[in-house]
Amino acid sequence: MENNPSPSRVDRKFIERDRRNQMKALFRRLNSLVPHQTSKAVSLPDQVEEATNYIKKLQMNMEKMEKKKNKLLGIERPNVSTNGGGERVGFKSPRIEIRQMGSAVEVVLITGLDSQFMFSETIRVLHEEGLDVVNASYNVIQDAVFHSIHCHQDEKFANGAARISERLKKSIYESSYCAF
């Protein structure tokens, strides 16, 4: 009997060698994508662990950035809890002040950083009440946004500030407590 290896044994050797070469190429490619802390040669298991840690770090950064983006776009609100009295904890309650000086009306809206929609709601209500918005501005101080809206009204709305105030307060407070 001859000592020649059978054709299937030779095929398995080539297949296994090709598999190992393919794995080496894949590990080299993976290693090239990961930023390295040291310039010394690193064993294959260490390279895989380094790549795994790098991917986990990227995933965490991506989740943080996604949350930040959603918060800035107003899509996602931070977790809200209520205390025993039904008051929201962790949010700045909106406040509205209206001052009428002749035909000029000044609306001051103070909200938390999480209430970006309240400004547009306020403008909508003012327009529905027949006020012309002359100027609007805002300042952010710590966790509060101070909106200042200057309006002009016709003489026929001599005492419309009280009605506008009630409507704005109702609209703002209802929308601030609705769940998204």
Side-chain angles (χ1 to χ4, degrees), residues 2-160:
E2 292 181 32
N3 283 347
N4 287 345
S6 68
S8 63
R9 187 179 227 181
V10 171
D11 288 342
R12 277 187 269 167
K13 264 172 114 173
F14 286 125
I15 291 170
E16 181 61 22
R17 186 178 66 198
D18 287 344
R19 186 191 67 78
R20 284 193 310 267
N21 288 338
Q22 186 179 15
M23 291 299 290
K24 284 180 188 176
L26 290 172
F27 281 122
R28 275 195 301 273
R29 185 169 163 210
L30 178 63
N31 193 36
S32 72
L33 296 173
V34 177
H36 300 289
Q37 302 294 331
T38 62
S39 60
K40 66 179 184 172
V42 181
S43 69
L44 196 59
D46 290 340
Q47 289 176 11
V48 172
E49 184 176 349
E50 191 176 327
T52 303
N53 292 337
Y54 180 67
I55 291 169
K56 287 178 183 177
K57 181 180 171 186
L58 288 176
Q59 285 176 327
M60 288 188 326
N61 286 344
M62 188 176 78
E63 289 171 5
K64 285 180 188 175
M65 298 292 270
E66 188 72 25
K67 285 180 182 178
K68 184 176 180 180
K69 180 186 101 175
N70 288 341
K71 184 177 178 183
L72 290 172
L73 291 174
I75 296 171
E76 180 180 283
R77 293 178 153 238
N79 291 335
V80 177
S81 60
T82 57
N83 63 12
E87 188 176 316
R88 295 163 54 153
V89 177
F91 282 86
K92 187 170 266 324
S93 294
R95 286 188 26 213
I96 293 180
E97 296 175 15
I98 298 179
R99 295 183 198 106
Q100 185 174 5
M101 298 159 278
S103 64
V105 176
E106 179 186 26
V107 179
V108 177
L109 171 65
I110 304 169
T111 67
L113 296 173
D114 61 318
S115 303
Q116 299 165 353
F117 65 93
M118 287 185 191
F119 175 76
S120 59
E121 179 67 15
T122 302
I123 297 293
R124 184 185 64 76
V125 170
L126 292 172
H127 278 287
E128 286 178 1
E129 289 294 324
L131 294 171
D132 295 323
V133 175
V134 177
N135 184 19
S137 61
Y138 73 94
N139 285 321
V140 178
I141 301 173
Q142 294 178 347
D143 62 344
V145 182
F146 295 82
H147 300 276
S148 178
I149 306 166
H150 298 271
C151 304
H152 176 29
Q153 66 180 359
D154 293 332
E155 286 78 30
K156 63 181 178 180
F157 290 108
N159 197 14

Side-chain angles (χ1 to χ4, degrees), residues 159-173:
N159 197 14
R163 186 181 75 240
I164 293 170
S165 175
E166 288 303 312
R167 184 159 176 220
L168 280 174
K169 286 179 181 179
K170 180 180 177 191
S171 175
I172 295 300
Y173 290 117

